[in-house]
Amino acid sequence: QVQLVESGGGLVQPGGSLRLSCAASRTIFSKSAMGWYRQAPGKERELVAQVTSGGSTNYADSVKGRFTISRDSAVNTVYLQMNSLKPEDTAVYYCKATYFIYQYWGQGTQVTVSS
């Protein structure tokens, strides 16, 4: 069974930082593109950042220069380092693995940016 387990969300003040982690099943991680998505109340889920199995990355314009996605194959984990957080970054953040034609989602972790 494929599992994605996210952690690292929480409450942070504007300008602060958080690091999200997503641990994936070993069987799929090395061949999967890994992505972080987010969904704010009343809005559609959107791509935040993605890293391919080869290490190429892409980011939503709204987070470029503030967020960094990375992956560590030794521990089958993808990270999202979020700096200079803004209130508009408040959302539930989801990890996604794309393994050939299959897509797997984590359960989501809440990120709230507020003073």
Side-chain angles (χ1 to χ4, degrees):
Q1 177 136 1
V2 174
Q3 285 191 316
L4 300 177
V5 180
E6 299 131 333
S7 61
L11 173 64
V12 64
Q13 292 187 342
S17 297
L18 281 175
R19 188 177 80 156
L20 306 183
S21 300
C22 172
S25 299
R26 178 180 57 84
T27 53
I28 67 163
F29 185 81
S30 65
K31 290 182 171 59
S32 293
M34 302 297 298
W36 286 98
Y37 289 71
R38 67 186 180 187
Q39 187 166 19
K43 294 188 177 181
E44 294 187 353
R45 192 173 297 188
E46 62 176 359
L47 174 67
V48 176
Q50 186 175 22
V51 57
T52 68
S53 57
S56 297
T57 59
N58 66 287
Y59 297 90
D61 288 343
S62 59
V63 306
K64 282 181 181 176
R66 300 188 298 124
F67 292 10
T68 302
I69 189 169
S70 61
R71 60 191 296 158
D72 186 344
S73 297
V75 291
N76 302 315
T77 299
V78 63
Y79 303 99
L80 184 68
Q81 178 66 43
M82 305 186 294
N83 299 328
S84 302
L85 282 160
K86 304 175 181 180
E88 50 263 43
D89 295 317
T90 296
V92 178
Y93 283 70
Y94 298 90
C95 176
K96 174 185 168 184
T98 302
Y99 178 68
F100 296 105
I101 63 170
Y102 303 102
Q103 297 180 0
Y104 304 95
W105 291 90
Q107 80 285 356
T109 185
Q110 177 70 46
V111 171
T112 302
V113 185
S114 175
S115 55

